[in-house]
Amino acid sequence: MRALYKLAIIGVAFALTSTLLLLVPVTALYATPLFQAEDEPRRQVLYINSYHRGYKFSDDITQGIEAVLKEPGRNVDLLVEYMDTKRLDSPAYLEELYQLYKVKYGSRQPDLVISSDDAALNFLFEYAQDLFPGVPVVFSGANYFDVTRLVGFPNFTGVSELADAQGTLDLALELHPQTRRIVVVNDTTVTGQRVHERLSALEASYPEVTFTYLEDISMDNLRLQLSQLSSDSLVLLTIFFRDNAGGFFEVDVFTPLVSESSTVPVYGLWDFSLGYGIVGGKLTSGATEGERAAQLAVRILNGESPEDIPVVQEPAARYMFDYEVLQRWNIPESALPRDSFVLNKPFSFFEQYAQIVWIVGISFLVLAAAIAILIFNIFRRRRAEVQLTQSLTELQESRALLEERVQERTEALRQRATLLEAAAEVSRATTEIVDLDVLLPTVVGLVQQRFDLYYVGLFLLDESGEFAMLRAGTGDAGRAMMAQGWELRVGGQSMIGRCVATGQADIQLDVGEAPVHFDNPHLPETRSEMALPLRVRGEIIGAMTIQSQRMAAFEQDDIRTMQTVADQVAAVITNARLFTQVQEGLAAERRAYGEMTYEAWQQLLLASSNLGYVSDRRATRPVGDVWRPEMQSALDTGRIVAGESGATLAIPILVREQVVGVIDGRKKDGTAWLPEEITLLQSLVDQLNVAVESARLYEESQRRAMRERLVAEVSGRLRASRDVETVLQATIRELGQALGAAATIRMTPLAADEVVVPNAVVPNAVVPNAVVPNAVVEPEVHR
């Protein structure tokens, strides 16, 4: 114990001695200037900080400003205002700040104003001429400042904060030559927007690398995507103070979250992220930016005009790295640029602080021995308690595990039932529709609604079988693609083309990683996709695409259910096509029969000119040449036409949709026809249509039977003759008797070189082509 007491005394003495040694030079440093500057006038410098105390980069800028302005002999009073725009930046809030500063500094103008970051600079551009007329303004932390903004502000100058993104990217790609993708983590604040513009301008310098921006995103989604990066990726962390869910994150919060979530190394642009998990990079320091701005302020306070001081546009970044992170990613220190600053680099602590190490080591041993004794006693007292509670713990764990399994199974069954119910509803809703133009939009709409999907599209093969044509799609995207005549080549670079070519379903739970995927500009939010073949009796007629905004949105039960729906849709489409073909065939038959009917009626009406009758109270007689205008109109249009007074009514006689006549009705008392009278007339005319067509068909069948009987009788008499002259004479006689006309048969001998045509009935016989009624020709036969 006496030895321990001596060691404790030695430690206390060492601490007091070290403190005195540190205080002496500090006191000497600050004592002399106070007396030297006692009689010089003091200057008032107002420093407007965009953010809040505790925000590391702003605090570093403040530290740099104070380091310069509080040097001996400066005689400067530094007034600091924090705008806190990371948490609140509405126009109403900025207006309140303006009113506050107007009250605070309206009667006591500062000699110079310094601002840090873009929010404070934008505020000064808006209000400085009113709040601080004629007062010089020096800005710092203005990201990629555009000097054209100084037009009209001659008293403004400062330092443009140029984060050396290219320097960091060049170094990162040199250390990781396999990199093919840079994932940029950035927010949408004013600073974030400036950084995005700069990085976008640099993309052309790296043609072999793809840039992906994770900006307007929640922290949870950001961490999820970072945890799924491939090994050929790198992360470039800029700033992420605010996510799209409204959450605010300090540097010491968002940097560890990003670094711990990423599966690949993370590089940065500012030194405030160093030490929280990033590898490093060519980093911009807030303290350096503050010092450079304060040096410009000193020049102005010493008499220089702001107009004569150009904006500082040169970057002041430095290569800085974290030793522990370098070790984590196996990056050798020898690969870093010369003069790089390495944080957390180990050094020989024992050699530098040997005495302290001995004191602490011995103290630790003493404390460890005491702790060991206490732990031994505690262990003995708690051993029984552990044994008693062990059984209860195991029982509780078993019960919790059983309840969890029951809950998971119940939820799985509920989801399965929901899917089957939705599939059944789609099937019921589509089986009664036979019009493809109605069926296809109905199918995709029902599938999208019932299964809560982002997009559903239905493709059918064209006649050549080379392209899958989009026939229906949901939402504005579907309508736009339909208007463009969207088509995909079978077997091409698309999931639909591959699905139709192979006849197999194609499922991608993450389309970004898919080997075959067509990047559709109309559907930018697609994360998961299924392409399902439409198969009927082994034949592929098309495919259905089902897309979701969620990654890994489909499970095995979903895939089986969706394929069942696709098979039902294929069957319904095939049935609709067959129905359409049958309807078209029936329509063609009706048209053909209607044309035949029309020709038959034309022949009948030509043979019986002026076929028509008129009936009144006296008698029924032929109509003559009566043909009123309304009758002609009804004949032309096929619709009922009333006269001007309404007392006359022309109703067309329709036979198989062909107008063959008109019934003209006229009221003797001159009154108009009533609707019920017109309905009665139309019913009678419908019966007349059937009756006249039946009568015509009967007459036509009678004439056909008479012709066939006459041909049979004449053929029988001709077959009874045995020589040529008798046959010829019998033929002329029978033709004359049957037709009531004269006919002549002439026969001439064959020429020497003339060939008899096979199957000719009478060689070189001249037979009249037409029978002319009432024409008399004497029979004449030549041998």
Side-chain angles (χ1 to χ4, degrees):
M1 292 299 293
R2 184 174 299 175
L4 291 176
Y5 180 75
K6 289 182 179 181
L7 289 175
I9 293 176
I10 293 173
V12 172
F14 178 81
L16 291 174
T17 303
S18 301
T19 304
L20 290 173
L21 291 175
L22 290 173
L23 290 175
V24 168
V26 172
T27 305
L29 179 65
Y30 285 98
T32 303
L34 291 176
F35 295 102
Q36 292 177 349
E38 186 176 9
D39 297 330
E40 295 181 9
R42 301 193 66 79
R43 305 291 186 90
Q44 302 292 317
V45 174
L46 174 62
Y47 168 41
I48 301 179
N49 189 312
S50 294
Y51 306 130
H52 54 277
R53 185 185 297 275
Y55 175 54
K56 188 177 185 305
F57 192 74
S58 292
D59 289 347
D60 291 344
I61 293 178
T62 305
Q63 180 183 352
I65 293 173
E66 290 178 343
V68 174
L69 295 184
K70 292 186 178 181
E71 289 180 359
R74 295 296 189 198
N75 293 329
V76 172
D77 292 331
L78 184 62
L79 310 175
V80 182
E81 295 285 353
Y82 290 95
M83 295 178 64
D84 200 21
T85 59
K86 283 294 184 185
R87 297 187 178 95
L88 191 62
D89 60 353
S90 66
Y93 173 69
L94 296 178
E95 179 65 24
E96 292 292 332
L97 284 180
Y98 160 72
Q99 296 295 337
L100 174 63
Y101 295 164
K102 190 172 183 179
V103 172
K104 291 182 68 174
Y105 303 104
S107 59
R108 55 186 187 105
Q109 292 285 297
D111 297 292
L112 185 138
V113 177
I114 300 177
S115 70
S116 65
D117 292 292
D118 294 284
L121 179 58
N122 293 336
F123 179 85
L124 288 173
F125 272 125
E126 179 72 20
Y127 298 109
Q129 293 182 353
D130 186 21
L131 290 173
F132 314 110
V135 176
V137 175
V138 176
F139 56 82
S140 66
N143 292 278
Y144 307 102
F145 182 77
D146 183 4
V147 295
T148 59
R149 298 180 66 189
L150 295 181
V151 176
F153 297 91
N155 58 329
F156 278 61
T157 189
V159 180
S160 176
E161 182 184 327
L162 300 175
D164 196 351
Q166 188 167 9
T168 297
L169 290 174
D170 290 342
L171 175 64
L173 294 176
E174 180 180 349
L175 295 176
H176 308 278
Q178 81 284 0
T179 301
R180 293 295 177 267
R181 182 186 182 197
I182 299 293
V183 179
V184 180
V185 178
N186 190 37
D187 64 15
T188 57
T189 60
V190 175
T191 302
Q193 295 172 14
R194 297 286 187 276
V195 174
H196 184 107
E197 293 171 0
R198 175 60 178 166
L199 291 175
S200 297
L202 289 176
E203 288 185 18
S205 302
Y206 305 94
E208 297 181 355
V209 178
T210 301
F211 283 78
T212 302
Y213 293 87
L214 301 180
E215 294 176 320
D216 190 12
I217 190 173
S218 68
M219 177 59 78
D220 291 339
N221 195 4
L222 171 64
R223 297 184 65 188
L224 176 62
Q225 296 198 36
L226 291 176
S227 67
Q228 298 174 350
L229 295 178
S230 58
S231 60
D232 62 349
S233 302
L234 286 179
V235 175
L236 178 61
L237 172 62
T238 60
I239 55 175
F240 200 80
F241 293 103
R242 188 182 302 166
D243 65 1
N244 66 354
F248 177 79
F249 307 92
E250 289 286 1
V251 172
D252 57 351
V253 175
F254 73 74
T255 304
L257 289 176
V258 171
S259 302
E260 293 168 4
S261 301
S262 175
T263 59
V264 297
V266 180
Y267 287 80
L269 298 181
W270 282 275
D271 67 341
F272 50 66
S273 293
L274 193 66
Y276 294 106
I278 69 169
V279 176
K282 199 166 186 182
L283 308 182
T284 298
S285 169
T288 302
E289 296 298 306
E291 290 175 359
R292 295 203 294 174
Q295 290 167 359
L296 296 183
V298 169
R299 292 171 58 184
I300 295 174
L301 291 175
N302 289 337
E304 287 191 50
S305 173
E307 291 184 279
D308 299 331
I309 303 176
V311 175
V312 178
Q313 297 280 5
E314 296 78 17
R318 179 185 178 188
Y319 288 111
M320 305 172 72
F321 303 90
D322 190 331
Y323 180 86
E324 296 176 355
V325 183
L326 291 173
Q327 296 299 308
R328 174 189 174 189
W329 298 110
N330 297 320
I331 301 174
E333 188 176 352
S334 59
L336 304 180
R338 294 182 61 185
D339 300 327
S340 296
F341 169 77
V342 180
L343 181 68
N344 297 326
K345 183 177 181 180
F347 60 95
S348 180
F349 183 86
F350 180 80
E351 294 178 359
Q352 188 169 356
Y353 304 104
Q355 188 176 7
I356 297 178
V357 170
W358 278 109
I359 295 173
V360 172
I362 294 173
S363 301
F364 177 80
L365 291 176
V366 173
L367 293 174
I371 292 172
I373 295 172
L374 292 174
I375 291 175
F376 178 75
N377 291 330
I378 294 173
F379 181 79
R380 291 178 59 189
R381 296 176 64 180
R382 291 188 176 179
R383 180 182 300 173
E385 180 180 354
V386 171
Q387 293 175 350
L388 291 174
T389 58
Q390 184 175 2
S391 299
L392 179 61
T393 301
E394 293 177 354
L395 179 61
Q396 291 176 344
E397 290 177 353
S398 300
R399 178 181 177 183
L401 180 61
L402 179 60
E403 291 179 351
E404 182 179 355
R405 289 180 178 177
V406 170
Q407 185 176 2
E408 291 177 354
R409 184 59 179 169
T410 303
E411 180 64 19
L413 292 174
R414 187 191 65 79
Q415 293 180 356
R416 179 64 175 169
T418 302
L419 291 175
L420 293 176
E421 182 180 353
E425 184 175 357
V426 172
S427 177
R428 288 194 302 271
T430 55
T431 50
E432 298 179 357
I433 303 175
V434 295
D435 186 352
L436 281 179
D437 293 334
V438 178
L439 172 65
L440 301 184
T442 302
V443 168
V444 296
L446 285 173
V447 173
Q448 182 197 31
Q449 294 173 7
R450 297 302 181 266
F451 294 94
D452 190 21
L453 299 168
Y454 171 47
Y455 172 78
V456 178
L458 201 149
F459 291 80
L460 297 180
L461 285 175
D462 63 0
E463 294 181 357
S464 66
E466 296 181 359
F467 290 92
M469 312 291 295
L470 180 64
R471 294 296 303 276
T474 57
D476 295 336
R479 287 187 288 272
M481 288 187 286
M482 289 286 290
Q484 295 177 8
W486 199 262
E487 62 181 19
L488 296 173
R489 180 176 292 278
V490 175
Q493 294 298 317
S494 67
M495 293 179 63
I496 289 295
R498 182 178 177 180
C499 172
V500 174
T502 62
Q504 301 295 325
D506 195 352
I507 297 95
Q508 294 297 339
L509 300 182
D510 182 0
V511 297
E513 301 297 330
V516 178
H517 176 69
F518 176 72
D519 190 7
N520 192 335
H522 296 283
L523 301 168
E525 300 181 23
T526 297
R527 294 295 177 269
S528 303
E529 181 176 359
M530 282 197 296
L532 303 172
L534 301 179
R535 183 186 294 106
V536 178
R537 292 185 293 275
E539 178 185 0
I540 303 299
I541 65 173
M544 184 165 59
T545 176
I546 297 172
Q547 303 180 23
S548 175
Q549 295 170 297
R550 296 180 291 109
M551 294 179 60
F554 307 119
E555 299 180 355
Q556 288 300 321
D557 288 342
D558 301 331
I559 296 171
R560 286 193 292 269
T561 303
M562 292 299 182
Q563 185 60 65
T564 301
V565 173
D567 294 340
Q568 293 174 347
V569 170
V572 172
I573 291 174
T574 301
N575 292 339
R577 284 179 169 176
L578 293 175
F579 179 79
T580 301
Q581 293 174 1
V582 171
Q583 292 297 104
E584 290 176 351
L586 292 175
E589 291 181 3
R590 284 195 297 269
R591 287 194 300 271
Y593 195 77
E595 292 175 358
M596 295 173 59
T597 302
Y598 178 76
E599 292 178 0
W601 273 100
Q602 288 296 103
Q603 293 177 4
L604 175 63
L605 295 175
L606 289 175
S608 303
S609 59
N610 294 326
L611 181 62
Y613 297 91
V614 62
S615 176
D616 53 23
R617 294 180 179 179
R618 294 187 299 273
T620 299
R621 59 186 182 280
V623 71
D625 295 330
V626 177
W627 198 258
R628 279 184 286 274
E630 58 269 21
M631 298 174 66
Q632 184 64 44
S633 178
L635 183 67
D636 294 338
T637 63
R639 294 193 296 268
I640 298 175
V641 179
E644 295 181 358
S645 63
T648 60
L649 193 68
I651 304 176
I653 301 174
L654 297 172
V655 177
R656 299 192 183 277
E657 300 181 359
Q658 303 292 332
V659 180
V660 299
V662 179
I663 291 181
D664 181 51
R666 176 187 299 268
K667 280 194 172 184
K668 295 299 183 180
D669 56 3
T671 59
W673 289 89
L674 300 176
E676 55 270 20
E677 294 174 335
I678 296 175
T679 302
L680 177 59
L681 285 175
Q682 183 62 63
S683 300
L684 295 175
V685 170
D686 292 341
Q687 296 299 321
L688 174 63
N689 296 340
V690 176
V692 296
E693 175 64 6
S694 298
R696 184 194 65 78
L697 292 174
Y698 177 76
E699 290 182 359
E700 184 177 346
S701 63
Q702 290 295 101
R703 287 194 300 271
R704 184 179 297 109
M706 182 183 68
R707 285 196 300 269
E708 292 176 354
R709 185 172 61 255
L710 178 61
V711 169
E713 292 176 357
V714 172
S715 299
R717 295 190 186 99
L718 292 177
R719 284 195 295 270
S721 302
R722 293 293 182 266
D723 58 85
V724 174
E725 289 188 7
T726 304
V727 169
L728 294 177
Q729 291 175 5
T731 300
I732 291 299
R733 182 173 60 255
E734 294 299 334
L735 286 175
Q737 293 176 358
L739 301 176
T744 302
I745 296 178
R746 294 185 179 89
M747 299 184 64
T748 59
L750 293 173
D753 58 350
E754 188 172 357
V755 180
V756 177
V757 180
N759 299 326
V761 178
V762 183
N764 296 327
V766 179
V767 181
N769 293 324
V771 178
V772 182
N774 301 324
V776 179
V777 180
E778 292 295 329
E780 182 176 355
V781 179
H782 300 275
R783 294 184 182 178

